[in-house]
Amino acid sequence: MRITSMPLAVTAYTATSALGLGLDAHLQALQQQRSGLRPNDFGPASLACWIGRVTAVESTSLPASHAQWDCRNNRLAWLGLNQDSFVARVHSAIHRHGTSRIAVLLGTSTASIGATEEGYRRLEDDCRLPADLYRPAIHNPHSLSAFVASVLDIHGPCQTISTACSSSAKVFACAERLIRLGVVDAAVVGGVDSLCDSVLYGFNALELVSPEPCRPFDAARRGISIGEAAGFALLERADALPEATQQLLGYGESSDAHHMSTPDPNGAGAELALRDVFERAGIAPAQVDYINLHGTASQKNDAMEAALVARLFPSSTRVSSTKGLTGHTLGAAGVIEAAIALLALREGFVPGNAGTRSPDPACTPHFAWRNEARPIRIALSHSFGFGGSNACLAFADTRR
């Protein structure tokens, strides 16, 4: 049976990454094609690579009332929540719907594991965590969502989704289901992932980390640059705020389980997710004006995705990756790139494919290598995670 997604109003959203704090900083960086990547200066023994670091995290502190949640990931979440009047917009939604009728649905791949790493580095003689880190609330995968629900004083369903790089795209799908089925009337969705040794050394062990700034879809690309970010969006029934001009039209998901860390070379799983979003959103490929690609700058992801675009979309569809600006923010990538797609819709421009020097010959004329001014009515965002966990989101601007 065909299931059609319920269009949802995107009534607020925000992004914090190496590009800066909030949407204005991101828009300026996108317009200037200014990268936030820098030589790795994270950790006591920094790897020779480039990272997308949010410098304000070190100078951010949580209020005393939330001290039990303190860790890098939750400080980054706090920093992100306090941009673009996001908390005030959520409080307005609480006034409309009630605190128990709003869900908190967040994606992360590592949560606050950085604090756990520190705890193990500083184990006391009896093999106990040091007193300042003996806080069970932060040493579990649900730390982020529980912290955000506490900060926002939301008492509806609270869920953490951890499906690698698709995590904070899949939260949009979860929100649509809960709202369509009448479980809630609105949802705070998003994702946060912060730099930590497990991520940097883990991806380096997989030989996926580039020693230079990443170059998505470049013929000589050498791998990913890891970043950190926090992004959030507020989704509500479209009739709750009819004046809202941006909507989540639908989503597509698939799980091909081709390999633990390598996508299916033919893009079978990614194509399933795309066909799912076409059906749920009731759109055709020719209606898509812009796609923010997953575009990690790894050899196999980019080859698969370039072939997928060539196979499914007309040349009028413009595509690009923005990870050359932000780095790959892992569990936060889905929401950060959704925010970039929404900015492209709002401002009427296609962000250029940052970082590329010599385009891969496999790339077709779909690719926007530089910024392009053009009206966009429908934009997609691709997120393809480890283990074959794929998600695609479709957004629309109702003014066009």
Side-chain angles (χ1 to χ4, degrees):
M1 182 178 69
R2 182 173 182 268
I3 298 175
T4 303
S5 294
M6 170 188 285
L8 298 177
V10 183
T11 55
Y13 60 101
T14 185
T16 290
S17 74
L19 297 185
L21 311 182
L23 296 176
D24 286 347
H26 281 72
L27 180 59
Q28 288 180 13
L30 290 165
Q31 290 173 334
Q32 298 167 8
Q33 287 288 280
R34 172 178 48 80
S35 175
L37 299 180
R38 67 189 194 184
N40 182 19
D41 57 357
F42 181 84
S46 301
L47 289 171
C49 63
W50 288 62
I51 59 172
R53 183 172 183 172
V54 180
T55 53
V57 178
E58 281 75 19
S59 59
T60 298
S61 58
L62 301 184
S65 57
H66 291 92
Q68 65 165 326
W69 300 103
D70 185 59
C71 62
R72 184 180 186 86
N73 208 62
N74 289 339
R75 288 197 300 273
L76 180 54
W78 174 261
L79 194 61
L81 286 169
N82 284 282
Q83 308 303 321
D84 300 303
S85 303
F86 187 77
V87 172
R89 303 291 290 274
V90 172
H91 287 165
S92 295
I94 291 173
H95 180 74
R96 285 192 292 275
H97 308 295
T99 188
S100 64
R101 295 289 300 174
I102 301 177
V104 173
L105 310 167
L106 301 179
T108 186
S109 63
T110 60
S112 46
I113 197 172
T116 309
E117 291 173 355
E118 181 184 351
Y120 273 87
R121 281 194 295 265
R122 294 169 46 204
L123 282 177
E124 296 179 348
D125 292 339
D126 57 358
C127 293
R128 291 178 181 270
L129 291 173
D132 62 312
L133 288 172
Y134 194 73
R135 290 177 278 123
I138 63 170
H139 298 295
N140 70 82
H142 195 54
S143 168
L144 169 66
S145 300
F147 167 66
V148 170
S150 174
V151 166
L152 298 177
D153 195 26
I154 290 176
H155 302 288
C158 183
Q159 184 175 350
T160 301
I161 293 178
S162 188
T163 54
C165 312
S166 63
S167 301
S168 61
K170 289 175 73 69
V171 294
F172 286 81
C174 185
E176 189 277 340
R177 288 189 288 268
L178 289 178
I179 295 173
R180 172 166 46 85
L181 295 173
V183 178
V184 296
D185 297 308
V188 173
V189 300
V192 183
D193 254 342
S194 50
L195 293 167
C196 64
D197 288 344
S198 294
V199 164
L200 286 166
Y201 285 93
F203 277 91
N204 188 63
L206 292 171
E207 300 181 344
L208 291 174
V209 175
S210 174
E212 60 186 15
C214 68
R215 293 188 275 161
F217 299 101
D218 192 289
R221 60 189 180 273
R222 301 178 67 184
I224 72 174
S225 296
I226 295 171
E228 61 184 356
F232 301 95
L234 177 61
L235 304 178
E236 302 184 64
R237 294 181 181 277
D239 58 6
L241 271 92
E243 66 272 22
T245 60
Q246 294 188 307
Q247 291 186 347
L248 172 69
L249 283 185
Y251 61 87
E253 297 176 286
S254 71
S255 181
D256 60 55
H258 170 75
H259 184 271
M260 184 177 289
S261 59
T262 301
D264 179 277
N266 297 314
E271 183 170 340
L272 282 173
L274 272 171
R275 295 196 180 279
D276 191 30
V277 77
F278 295 153
E279 184 170 336
R280 290 178 182 274
I283 58 176
Q287 293 177 268
V288 177
D289 299 303
Y290 170 62
I291 306 173
N292 187 290
L293 301 173
H294 191 55
T296 63
S298 70
Q299 287 291 333
K300 294 183 178 179
N301 173 89
D302 288 11
M304 174 276 289
E305 200 169 10
L308 181 67
V309 166
R311 187 164 70 243
L312 290 186
F313 293 92
S315 57
S316 58
T317 298
R318 310 305 290 150
V319 305
S320 66
S321 168
T322 50
K323 285 186 172 69
L325 302 177
T326 63
H328 191 345
T329 59
L330 307 179
V335 70
I336 293 297
E337 287 150 23
I340 290 173
L342 287 164
L343 281 174
L345 280 167
R346 190 187 79 183
E347 300 296 322
F349 86 108
V350 171
N353 194 90
T356 303
R357 300 174 191 166
S358 301
D360 190 319
C363 292
T364 51
H366 299 80
F367 281 78
W369 302 111
R370 295 177 179 81
N371 289 355
E372 299 176 1
R374 62 173 60 213
I376 301 173
R377 192 178 75 84
I378 294 177
L380 301 187
S381 180
H382 287 179
S383 299
F384 306 135
F386 275 7
S389 178
N390 307 300
C392 299
L393 304 176
F395 297 99
D397 190 318
T398 60
R399 298 171 301 174
R400 300 187 176 97

